Structures are given as structure tokens and as C-alpha cells.
Amino acid sequence: MDIEKELLSKYSMGKIKAIATYACTNKMGLAQLMDYFIGNNQRLAQMASWCVSHTVDIDKSVVLPYVPQLIDIIHQDNKHDAVIRNAIRIFQFIEIPETYQGKLMNKCFEFVESPTTPAAFKAYALTLLFNLSKIYPDIKPELKTIIETLLPNETAAFKSRGKKILKELNKK
């Protein structure tokens, strides 16, 4: 498969899933897709990020070697929102190595608390923080307070995710 050609041609959900499936079964294809995701060509990075995001729906383990690069992506201001959004989405579904949990947690709190953060970033960051709160229960009160404080003035996406997370936090 010529991944670059496929990424730059007219795309559809079927094509995105086909590229993701190919990457899950072809190590060189995955490496190439990740190079585009991490790279500086904004259009290729945007399209590759969508495909990589769907690889975790097929096989969560394929992205584990790329966790350091994914962490770097979410800390870069010059990346397209779609690239950052898909990187954050990936972290919802994988087991994050302990080495990166603190850095990721701090960035997620930053995303959630910033009034300029896009809604999808916040929704994914809330889920990540909730997942990390199972490992680090000390963050539960802070997460709960932040959600309760921001909830009235946030987007529908934040409200929906926030209410679900509050419900779970209040069970414990």
C-alpha cells in the first residue's frame, strides 16, 4: 500500500479504517504512518493521525512503542488541532507507561483548565484523567472540583463527559 498516496487522495471512513488495518498488520506500514503523524507536513500529519487513532480500535499494542512521540505531540503548539486531538484520543485506550503518566496528567489538567482548549481535547483529557485517577486516587478530589467548577459554562461535549465522570467519582 502506498500510504502517502492513500492519505492524500479522497478519503472516507472506509479508507481510514483500511489504512489503520494495514498498519496493524505491517510493521513498516505502521512506521511510515507514524512518521507522517509525527512529521511536519500538516496535511499528512492530520490524515495520518486519524488513521493511527483508529489503529487502537484494532490493536492497542501497536502504538505502545510510539508513546514518547505521542507525548511530545500533545506538548507542541505548532501541531494541527486534529493531530493533537487524535494523540490525546489514543491515550484513552492504552495502558500508559508509568514513566509518562505524570507528564501526561499535568498536560491533561492544563487542557481541561484552559478556556482556549478545544472541546474535544477537554473531553478526551477528562477521560484520561479519570483513567489515571484509578492509579492515582489522590487526584480524584481535584478532578471532581475542576469538573464541578467548569461544568456550568462548558460545551456540551465537556458537560456530557464531565457528568459521566462525576457519576463514577461519586460512587466511590
Side-chain angles (χ1 to χ4, degrees):
M1 176 184 283
D2 183 341
I3 292 178
E4 182 175 353
K5 180 182 171 188
E6 293 298 321
L7 291 174
L8 293 174
S9 65
K10 186 174 164 81
Y11 60 91
S12 65
M13 184 53 78
K15 182 181 278 192
I16 298 302
K17 288 181 178 182
I19 295 169
T21 301
Y22 174 75
C24 286
T25 59
N26 183 299
K27 238 181 186 173
M28 294 203 40
L30 177 63
Q32 185 180 18
L33 188 61
M34 288 303 298
D35 285 345
Y36 292 133
F37 186 7
I38 295 162
N40 293 322
N41 180 316
Q42 290 234 3
R43 185 66 183 150
L44 281 172
Q46 184 179 354
M47 297 311 302
S49 73
W50 197 11
C51 295
V52 174
S53 173
H54 283 281
T55 64
V56 297
D57 298 334
I58 300 164
D59 182 356
K60 293 170 181 44
S61 69
V62 297
V63 297
L64 293 179
Y66 298 97
V67 165
Q69 292 93 333
L70 294 171
I71 294 280
D72 288 344
I73 284 171
I74 68 168
H75 284 82
Q76 294 177 21
D77 295 331
N78 64 338
K79 292 292 184 184
H80 190 281
D81 280 358
V83 174
I84 297 170
R85 179 180 60 247
N86 283 308
I88 299 168
R89 179 187 182 273
I90 289 167
F91 284 116
Q92 293 181 113
F93 303 110
I94 65 171
E95 190 171 318
I96 302 156
E98 186 176 351
T99 308
Y100 303 104
Q101 291 172 355
K103 190 173 183 179
L104 186 59
M105 188 184 316
N106 289 337
K107 189 62 178 179
C108 286
F109 274 119
E110 184 182 314
F111 281 144
V112 171
E113 294 177 297
S114 172
T116 60
T117 300
F121 289 26
K122 287 185 178 190
Y124 293 148
L126 284 175
T127 299
L128 269 167
L129 289 168
F130 176 68
N131 291 345
L132 288 168
S133 77
K134 295 171 188 171
I135 301 166
Y136 302 99
D138 293 353
I139 70 167
K140 287 179 182 181
E142 182 180 0
L143 179 57
K144 186 176 174 185
T145 300
I146 289 169
I147 294 170
E148 290 171 341
T149 302
L150 297 176
L151 203 59
N153 301 314
E154 278 292 344
T155 64
F158 185 98
K159 288 178 181 178
S160 174
R161 191 76 53 108
K163 286 177 183 177
K164 288 176 187 172
I165 290 171
L166 280 176
K167 185 176 178 181
E168 290 300 314
L169 289 172
N170 287 329
K171 282 183 181 177
K172 301 180 177 27

